[in-house]
Amino acid sequence: MMTAINLGLPALPPETLAPRRKSRKIKVGKVEVGGDAPISVQSMTTTLTADINATLQQIAELTAAGCDIVRVAVPSADDAAALPAIAHKSQIPVIADIHFQPRYVFAAIEAGCAAVRVNPGNIKEFDDQVKEIAQAATEAGVSLRIGVNAGSLDKRLLAKYGKATPEALVESALWEASLFEEHGFRDFKISVKHHDPVIMVKAYEQLAEQCDYPLHLGVTEAGPAFQGTIKSATAFGALLSKGIGDTIRVSLSAPPVEEVKVGIKILESLNLRPRKLEIVSCPSCGRAQVDVYKLADEVTAGLEGLTVPLRVAVMGCVVNGPGEAREADLGVASGNGKGQIFVHGEVIKTVKESDIVETLIEEAMRLAEDMPDVEGAPEVSVGR
């Protein structure tokens, strides 16, 4: 009789810092947002939308990285003309990002986009188009995102508050939402983005108290990869730890696939998305007897693409190493030119330092192959 191997999957739902805020549930194509739906990860293409092949190629890369929803920019008529092909061929829901020209909103709806992002602060004559937009979206089953940005706040509110304060962002969002509510349309989510995480967090906290719409989190213009990751993780962590947030987009001056990776890791770190591969490695110190950085990088590269929830510990000394390795599904405690390999807390072998990486990868593959079926778990795939 085969004994199931415990890969560290919790018997109970993972512990989170706070219950999710209660919100309405909407649909963005096949993806549910809000309510009890999982928090989704979004990104945005950097290609010219009019270049259909390039855009679809980037969407495919984002899909492979785990992106749930993708947004494409529609600043021109050529971009709008490309939407039917992109929306039809994309494997994940496509959101059209509309600024300035309200006619592109209708073009996106007619093209079959799953949703449309509108920024009323800079759409010409937006107030006069709300009824028609609401009617077209309702008939097509398309949801909207009311996207308020600090950099494009309605001039009336800038005059009132002097700058993009949390209160100004929230007032703008709720005012714009009320325009749709007047016509019975409520299938939208809201964002109130700012480049300053403190202002952004305060705005979302206030908004969460004043409405029940699903909220899309984002720190706009967050910056290069390192800075943007820190700012996004800080702001998202502050909100998600309080149950605020239904979908996220990490904005980085980096390839969009990196945005998806960061977003997924933020959710996994807060137990808001099932963890997959997790590398636990020590920061190294004067006690380390191996090059921990090199070892951790090589193990990470060797296991790239592994999708089972496996925790692998890479430790560089005999002080904390054995204890940390025992807590992981698979681990190594290194020292004196050797490495003790642990599987579920038990030492299964001791290998030469030069064989540590190969041994860990082999054991990880063996554990992945023996993983018992888990409902909803993805297939095991490993890229080398």
Side-chain angles (χ1 to χ4, degrees):
M1 181 177 179
M2 182 178 293
T3 302
I5 294 177
N6 177 13
L7 290 182
L9 290 170
L12 298 173
E15 186 174 356
T16 57
L17 291 169
R20 283 275 296 281
R21 160 183 169 268
K22 293 183 179 180
S23 66
R24 302 172 63 91
K25 183 185 288 186
I26 66 170
K27 296 197 72 174
V28 179
K30 63 184 179 181
V31 177
E32 293 183 331
V33 174
D36 59 356
I39 298 172
S40 55
V41 175
Q42 299 188 25
S43 186
M44 186 172 183
T45 55
T46 57
T47 57
L48 291 175
T49 304
D51 187 339
I52 296 173
N53 289 336
T55 301
L56 286 171
Q57 175 62 35
Q58 194 167 79
I59 290 175
E61 294 169 358
L62 290 166
T63 303
C67 187
D68 300 304
I69 300 169
V70 65
R71 185 157 46 107
V72 299
V74 189
S76 73
D78 288 342
D79 298 314
L83 289 177
I86 293 171
H88 177 70
K89 295 180 180 179
S90 173
Q91 292 183 306
I92 57 177
V94 173
I95 297 177
D97 190 69
I98 309 298
H99 296 267
F100 305 118
Q101 296 296 340
R103 68 177 183 272
Y104 295 151
V105 175
F106 299 103
I109 293 172
E110 292 173 4
C113 291
V116 179
R117 181 274 178 108
V118 293
N119 189 342
N122 61 16
I123 290 186
K124 296 177 181 178
E125 301 178 354
F126 175 82
D127 295 14
D128 297 332
Q129 299 285 325
V130 172
K131 180 179 180 180
E132 289 76 11
I133 292 173
Q135 182 176 351
T138 298
E139 292 175 353
V142 169
S143 61
L144 303 176
R145 171 159 73 91
I146 294 175
V148 178
N149 269 34
S152 54
L153 195 64
D154 189 283
K155 293 180 180 179
R156 292 166 287 188
L157 290 168
L158 279 176
K160 177 178 179 179
Y161 289 95
K163 59 180 180 179
T165 63
E167 292 75 17
L169 294 170
V170 171
E171 183 171 334
S172 175
L174 294 178
W175 166 68
E176 290 154 11
S178 72
L179 298 180
F180 284 99
E181 291 171 342
E182 288 177 2
H183 302 288
F185 188 86
R186 291 180 171 80
D187 290 333
F188 55 81
K189 56 184 180 293
I190 300 177
S191 63
V192 282
K193 295 186 178 183
H194 198 285
H195 64 86
D196 185 328
V198 174
I199 294 175
M200 174 267 200
V201 168
K202 288 182 177 179
Y204 276 102
E205 288 176 338
Q206 293 178 23
L207 185 60
E209 292 180 353
Q210 297 181 52
C211 74
D212 67 348
Y213 291 109
L215 302 182
H216 169 73
L217 304 187
V219 178
T220 190
E221 294 101 28
F226 178 76
Q227 174 183 296
T229 295
I230 298 300
K231 291 173 71 172
S232 297
T234 300
F236 291 3
L239 292 166
L240 293 170
S241 66
K242 298 178 181 178
I244 298 172
D246 302 287
T247 179
I248 65 173
R249 189 263 172 115
V250 176
S251 297
L252 302 177
S253 299
V257 164
E258 298 304 311
E259 298 182 347
V260 174
K261 291 179 180 178
V262 172
I264 289 173
K265 283 299 179 184
I266 290 173
L267 295 180
E268 288 181 0
S269 297
L270 292 168
N271 286 338
L272 294 171
R273 178 172 285 218
R275 299 186 186 217
K276 297 178 183 176
L277 175 67
E278 180 180 8
I279 304 294
V280 178
S281 59
C282 67
S284 191
C285 67
R287 298 191 300 265
Q289 297 177 334
V290 297
D291 187 339
V292 178
Y293 305 149
K294 182 173 182 289
L295 192 61
D297 285 344
E298 290 179 348
V299 172
T300 300
L303 298 178
E304 184 179 3
L306 194 68
T307 57
V308 295
L310 190 69
R311 181 177 285 111
V312 180
V314 179
M315 309 302 296
C317 79
V318 296
V319 176
N320 294 322
E324 293 290 348
R326 287 191 183 96
E327 289 296 316
D329 302 302
L330 170 65
V332 61
S334 310
N336 298 321
K338 298 179 180 179
Q340 284 189 320
I341 307 297
F342 291 78
V343 173
H344 305 306
E346 300 294 333
V347 177
I348 62 166
K349 65 180 74 173
T350 300
V351 300
K352 294 184 298 183
E353 182 179 327
S354 60
D355 294 332
I356 288 175
V357 173
E358 181 180 357
T359 303
L360 284 176
I361 293 173
E362 289 176 351
E363 291 299 324
M365 295 303 99
R366 182 181 65 81
L367 291 173
E369 290 173 358
D370 291 339
M371 178 181 174
D373 290 336
V374 178
E375 185 177 354
E379 294 181 359
V380 175
S381 60
V382 180
R384 299 200 182 183

